[in-house]
């Protein structure tokens, strides 16, 4: 499962557009199963090309109020797909997006994130940010510095391609 936090609003159609642009062989569906919604019409869980996403808006949040979960059929390279989706959402819709991040030089420090601003990646510190609080996200994510990520390529269903 890929999780992306968005500072702003993105419509279901815009999310679908991003998924199809990145992984053209997939058919994305919105399904907020956490809210008890019924399976979307046309969705076939046995079809590996059918994927779904769910959204949640944290009211009274200072930033990153929209959480999007992507349920893809590939379990490998989740972190890499997560970053690609967040970067693309940020660049296309001029939003700030955030994904949790394990810093390779400090793997035990739980407070790192990658924040994308207009598609550019920055290292963030979320030690003052409270995710998913009952009354909204609290605190702010501190931007530390630009942080370059490797360019990766995926096939039409989201599998990492080795060049």
């Amino acid at each position: 499962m890929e999780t992306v936090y968005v500072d702003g609003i993105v419509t279901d159609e815009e999310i679908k557009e991003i998924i199809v642009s990145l992984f053209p062989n997939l058919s994305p569906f919105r399904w907020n199963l956490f809210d008890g919604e019924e399976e979307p019409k046309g969705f076939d869980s046995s079809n590996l090309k059918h994927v779904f996403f769910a959204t949640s808006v944290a009211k009274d949040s200072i930033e990153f109020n929209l959480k999007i979960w992507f349920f893809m059929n590939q379990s490998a390279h989740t972190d890499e797909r997560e970053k690609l989706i967040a970067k693309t959402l940020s660049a296309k819709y001029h939003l700030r997006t955030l994904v949790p991040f394990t810093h390779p030089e400090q793997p035990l420090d739980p407070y790192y994130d990658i924040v994308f601003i207009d598609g550019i990646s920055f290292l963030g510190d979320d030690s003052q940010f409270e995710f998913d609080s009952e009354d909204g996200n609290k605190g702010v994510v501190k931007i530390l510095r630009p942080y370059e990520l490797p360019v990766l390529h995926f096939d039409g269903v989201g599998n990492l391609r080795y060049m």
Side-chain angles (χ1 to χ4, degrees):
M1 174 175 64
E2 290 81 357
T3 305
V4 175
Y5 292 85
V6 180
D7 191 23
I9 298 298
V10 182
T11 68
D12 293 344
E13 290 308 312
E14 291 169 335
I15 295 169
K16 288 178 185 179
E17 183 180 316
I18 291 296
I19 294 300
V20 170
S21 73
L22 295 173
F23 316 114
N25 296 338
L26 295 179
S27 296
F29 295 82
R30 184 193 59 79
W31 182 14
N32 280 346
L33 73 160
F34 303 123
D35 295 338
E37 282 186 8
E38 290 188 28
E39 187 174 288
K41 186 176 182 172
F43 179 74
D44 178 0
S45 60
S46 66
N47 185 336
L48 296 179
K49 293 183 180 181
H50 284 198
V51 297
F52 68 97
F53 64 92
T55 60
S56 174
V57 176
K59 296 177 177 28
D60 302 323
S61 294
I62 296 172
E63 61 182 0
F64 300 107
N65 59 313
L66 175 64
K67 183 176 184 178
I68 308 170
W69 296 273
F70 296 92
F71 298 87
M72 311 282 278
N73 290 316
Q74 300 78 6
S75 58
H77 308 292
T78 298
D79 292 345
E80 292 86 352
R81 267 191 310 278
E82 196 173 65
K83 289 179 194 74
L84 178 61
I85 293 167
K87 176 182 180 173
T88 306
L89 277 168
S90 173
K92 180 162 178 108
Y93 298 114
H94 304 288
L95 297 164
R96 292 185 324 138
T97 58
L98 175 146
V99 294
F101 179 66
T102 301
H103 196 296
E105 295 170 10
Q106 298 174 27
L108 299 179
D109 188 334
Y111 298 112
Y112 284 113
D113 303 290
I114 296 295
V115 176
F116 293 95
I117 302 172
D118 289 330
I120 299 169
S121 54
F122 295 86
L123 185 64
D125 174 348
D126 68 17
S127 59
Q128 301 301 310
F129 188 78
E130 182 179 343
F131 287 94
D132 305 322
S133 129
E134 285 188 23
D135 25 321
N137 299 331
K138 302 297 179 194
V140 295
V141 175
K142 181 180 178 184
I143 303 297
L144 300 174
R145 60 181 165 81
Y147 192 86
E148 191 167 336
L149 296 169
V151 175
L152 303 174
H153 301 278
F154 293 84
D155 67 14
V157 294
N159 294 310
L160 185 63
R161 290 179 37 204
Y162 297 95
M163 313 285 295

